Amino acid sequence: QVQLVESGGGSVHAGGSLTLSCAASGFTFSYYAMSWYRQAPGKEREVVATVATTGDRTSYADSVKGRFAISRDNAKSTMYLQMNSLKPEDTGVYYCNAPGHPLQIAGKPYWGQGTQVTVSS
């Protein structure tokens, strides 16, 4: 069945960098565009970056443009998010999933456990 495992989060100071990974299994990863989402404390989950099926097209939220880079390796069924020049407002739990409509298990939306990113000033 569908499984998404996010990793690579941590605690850094402002200006630091982190690279997140999303290991996917249980579905044909290369068939899906994929996104990184984040949920800040007390806020709704938002999309921060999206990558097309072949990795040739990407899009970013205005708040992370020029600082974050999304990529994927379809051979490894893995997606990445390189985060540079981190700001305190980047703090939150980061999730990976399909854009628009999350992947489902038994008709219900599925989300992995996420990975926590904490940026201190």
Side-chain angles (χ1 to χ4, degrees):
Q1 65 181 17
V2 171
Q3 187 172 27
L4 298 167
V5 179
E6 300 93 347
S7 62
S11 296
V12 297
H13 291 295
S17 298
L18 286 171
T19 301
L20 307 184
S21 298
C22 166
S25 61
F27 65 103
T28 307
F29 180 73
S30 61
Y31 285 7
Y32 289 79
M34 292 293 291
S35 294
W36 282 100
Y37 297 75
R38 73 181 172 201
Q39 187 164 22
K43 296 187 177 181
E44 292 190 356
R45 192 154 30 203
E46 61 174 348
V47 175
V48 295
T50 299
V51 61
T53 54
T54 57
D56 59 333
R57 286 176 290 118
T58 58
S59 63
Y60 298 91
D62 287 344
S63 59
V64 306
K65 278 181 182 176
R67 300 187 298 119
F68 289 12
I70 188 172
S71 61
R72 65 191 295 163
D73 184 338
N74 285 342
K76 296 181 179 179
S77 295
T78 302
M79 180 175 67
Y80 305 96
L81 186 68
Q82 174 67 47
M83 304 187 296
N84 299 321
S85 302
L86 283 160
K87 303 177 180 180
E89 51 264 43
D90 294 318
T91 293
V93 181
Y94 285 70
Y95 302 88
C96 59
N97 214 315
H101 301 284
L103 297 169
Q104 295 190 342
I105 294 178
K108 296 182 179 180
Y110 166 82
W111 291 91
Q113 84 287 350
T115 187
Q116 175 72 47
V117 172
T118 303
V119 185
S120 58
S121 57

